[in-house]
Amino acid sequence: MIGGSSAPAGTTAPAGGRVRLQGRWPLVTSAPQLTLAALAARDEEGTRWWLVPGTELRVEDDWDAVGLRGSASHSVSCDTLVPAGHSVCLTDPARIDGALYRFPLYGLMAACIAAVAEATAERALQEFATLAQTAR
């Protein structure tokens, strides 16, 4: 499962052929289940998503908005070395021409946010249906 945060909450520093990525990113959806995280941090070229294996993350079980815990949106932190090529610049133009590669970044982010809201609403309806069978 891949997820992450577009908020550039981390810092980077060159470390040989790698980059040291450090930081704490709040509200990362499905944090405990991630196999790969895309975590935003600024470097000398701009803001990049750094691809970090889920095993390198520390997940803080810190999100409980009035008991709603379904999205598992916890904070994650890391202090790890990432290969320099394991990142994506959020502002680079597409390398391949085509509709898929021209999809706007903010459209992608909106779809991701909408997917979380949709899943949360679906689960709430399931719980309501269960409750409605026994409540008076």
Side-chain angles (χ1 to χ4, degrees):
M1 178 179 295
I2 300 172
S5 174
S6 297
T11 61
T12 61
R18 295 177 171 257
V19 172
R20 177 168 297 286
L21 177 66
Q22 296 175 302
R24 181 177 181 271
W25 293 263
L27 295 172
V28 175
T29 301
S30 298
Q33 292 82 26
L34 294 179
T35 55
L36 185 66
L39 303 174
R42 289 189 176 93
D43 66 7
E44 64 278 352
E45 297 178 22
T47 301
R48 305 182 78 78
W49 271 325
W50 295 91
L51 304 177
V52 179
T55 56
E56 296 292 318
L57 301 176
R58 286 183 303 283
V59 178
E60 301 173 31
D61 187 4
D62 62 353
W63 190 72
D64 185 10
V66 195
L68 300 174
R69 302 178 65 99
S71 71
S73 295
H74 304 298
S75 296
V76 300
S77 60
C78 71
D79 181 356
T80 189
L81 293 175
V82 179
H86 288 199
S87 68
V88 177
C89 186
L90 301 181
T91 55
D92 279 352
R95 294 182 184 179
I96 300 171
D97 190 31
L100 176 63
Y101 307 101
R102 287 192 304 260
F103 194 83
L105 174 64
Y106 290 110
L108 173 63
M109 290 180 184
C112 292
I113 292 167
V116 172
E118 179 186 18
T120 303
E122 183 178 319
R123 178 62 185 202
L125 288 172
Q126 290 172 354
E127 290 298 320
F128 177 76
T130 300
L131 178 64
Q133 292 175 1
T134 59
R136 290 181 173 210

